Amino acid sequence: MYSELDKLIKMSDFKGIIQQAGATERCPQNYVLALTDTMNVISGKWKLPIIASLLRGKIRFKDLLDNIEKITPRMLSKELKELEINSIVVRKVYNQTPVLIEYQLTESGRSLLNLIDTMIDWGLTHRSNVW
Amino acid sequence: MYSELDKLIKMSDFKGIIQQAGATERCPQNYVLALTDTMNVISGKWKLPIIASLLRGKIRFKDLLDNIEKITPRMLSKELKELEINSIVVRKVYNQTPVLIEYQLTESGRSLLNLIDTMIDWGLTHRSNVW
DNA sequence: ATAAGTAGTATACTTTTGTATAGTGAATTA
DNA sequence: TAATTCACTATACAAAAGTATACTACTTAT
């Protein structure tokens, strides 16, 4: 697909996730951007637990708090905002009384399931390689 | 493949990457372990640049330092040790004089290329979804 | 009127992660 | 003999990420 990583090595003046000297022309900057986007979406202690909970369907703040062990409202709020900014999550406000707020994944958010599966596959294979 | 993420939700007393209440029996702990393994291997500022450089072939400490822009010897050393402990990298010592030391990926390390490709795919699709 | 639930925010703090800068020791070339 | 290269290590510091604890504003149930 991108067959050799040659393609994404070196990207001097980008923030520097993938970079190596002397290969600028062979390294499509878009690949590097795409990779850093992906890293930003999944990295941190709480992103995957939140996404995993959301993969089960729309859910309210309070239920996320209860489902995700030991997360604080501060972190949940912060992470949801970040996921919303990155178009992974949508915050829906239903103007009933009392107001109802639900979080749900976007199409991009749902498509993370495939990536997560690939990560699990790699991890399982790695464990079988090593032990 | 793991079709529904149900399978990996809730894992109370594991470190807590993926967890949700009331689904213990449907959540194979191995999947959670595999996923956290994967996250540990790729997360941090320098892991992917190092792995990307190593995907081009065996390489020496000094050349990694030169190839990866702005990394310090301290971080390179630290990350290589971690990658070695996790069986992603092998440190080979050739007892010539002067001694020659080369780092190379293990089979598990090389197989990260597929994961990286999947991450790039997700990122590219996400960008096309959003803009 | 009081307590409890929802959806958070505010402030202060600790831990983790990464940076800056200098130095070591062995060998090697000038 | 002195400077340079290689492969790092040591110490101190700064920045980012995460935690603890309390609080707010609104609504509803008792």
Side-chain angles (χ1 to χ4, degrees):
Chain A
M1 182 156 274
Y2 310 103
S3 50
E4 288 306 320
L5 203 62
D6 263 21
K7 289 172 187 159
L8 49 84
I9 293 183
K10 171 79 174 175
M11 236 22 269
S12 318
D13 41 17
F14 183 63
K15 280 182 208 154
I17 267 295
I18 297 282
Q19 44 190 203
Q20 182 163 341
T24 311
E25 73 292 341
R26 282 176 295 144
C27 179
Q29 182 164 12
N30 287 345
Y31 291 180
V32 180
L33 293 170
L35 188 54
T36 51
D37 283 356
T38 307
M39 280 305 293
N40 286 337
V41 164
I42 64 176
S43 65
K45 184 171 177 179
W46 300 111
K47 297 276 174 57
L48 285 179
I50 292 169
I51 290 163
S53 281
L54 286 164
L55 277 164
R56 312 186 90 202
K58 46 175 80 159
I59 184 171
R60 306 167 69 170
F61 191 89
K62 178 53 163 54
D63 293 322
L64 279 171
L65 264 187
D66 292 343
N67 286 345
I68 300 168
E69 215 165 274
K70 291 181 181 174
I71 198 171
T72 60
R74 182 186 192 274
M75 285 310 289
L76 182 55
S77 171
K78 201 178 139 280
E79 298 290 52
L80 284 171
K81 263 172 201 153
E82 231 181 292
L83 290 168
E84 211 190 337
I85 285 166
N86 289 317
S87 299
I88 306 304
V89 160
V90 177
R91 179 178 186 271
K92 289 214 167 168
V93 181
Y94 301 92
N95 275 322
Q96 316 163 351
T97 47
V99 69
L100 169 65
I101 293 163
E102 282 182 330
Y103 293 91
Q104 61 181 286
L105 293 176
T106 60
E107 182 50 38
S108 279
R110 283 188 296 276
S111 72
L112 284 168
L113 180 54
N114 172 57
L115 175 60
I116 292 172
D117 279 346
T118 304
M119 293 175 70
I120 292 172
D121 280 340
W122 183 88
L124 291 173
T125 305
H126 178 54
R127 284 189 163 239
S128 74
N129 285 346
V130 171
W131 293 293
Chain B
M1 181 157 276
Y2 311 101
S3 49
E4 287 306 320
L5 205 60
D6 263 22
K7 289 173 188 159
L8 49 82
I9 293 182
K10 168 77 175 177
M11 237 21 272
S12 320
D13 40 18
F14 184 62
K15 279 181 208 156
I17 267 295
I18 297 282
Q19 44 191 202
Q20 182 163 342
T24 311
E25 73 294 339
R26 283 176 295 144
C27 180
Q29 183 165 13
N30 288 343
Y31 291 179
V32 179
L33 292 171
L35 188 55
T36 52
D37 283 356
T38 307
M39 281 303 294
N40 285 336
V41 164
I42 63 177
S43 65
K45 184 171 177 178
W46 300 111
K47 297 277 174 56
L48 285 179
I50 292 169
I51 289 163
S53 282
L54 286 164
L55 277 164
R56 310 186 91 200
K58 47 175 76 162
I59 185 170
R60 305 167 69 171
F61 191 90
K62 178 54 163 53
D63 294 322
L64 279 170
L65 264 186
D66 293 343
N67 286 345
I68 301 168
E69 215 165 275
K70 291 182 180 172
I71 197 170
T72 60
R74 182 186 192 277
M75 287 310 289
L76 182 55
S77 171
K78 200 177 139 283
E79 299 290 51
L80 284 171
K81 263 170 203 155
E82 230 181 291
L83 290 168
E84 211 190 337
I85 285 166
N86 290 317
S87 299
I88 306 304
V89 160
V90 177
R91 180 178 185 270
K92 289 213 167 168
V93 182
Y94 300 91
N95 274 323
Q96 316 162 352
T97 46
V99 69
L100 169 64
I101 293 164
E102 282 182 331
Y103 294 90
Q104 61 181 288
L105 293 175
T106 60
E107 183 49 39
S108 279
R110 283 189 295 277
S111 73
L112 283 168
L113 180 54
N114 172 58
L115 174 60
I116 292 172
D117 278 346
T118 305
M119 292 175 71
I120 293 171
D121 280 339
W122 183 88
L124 291 173
T125 305
H126 177 55
R127 284 190 164 239
S128 74
N129 284 348
V130 171
W131 292 291

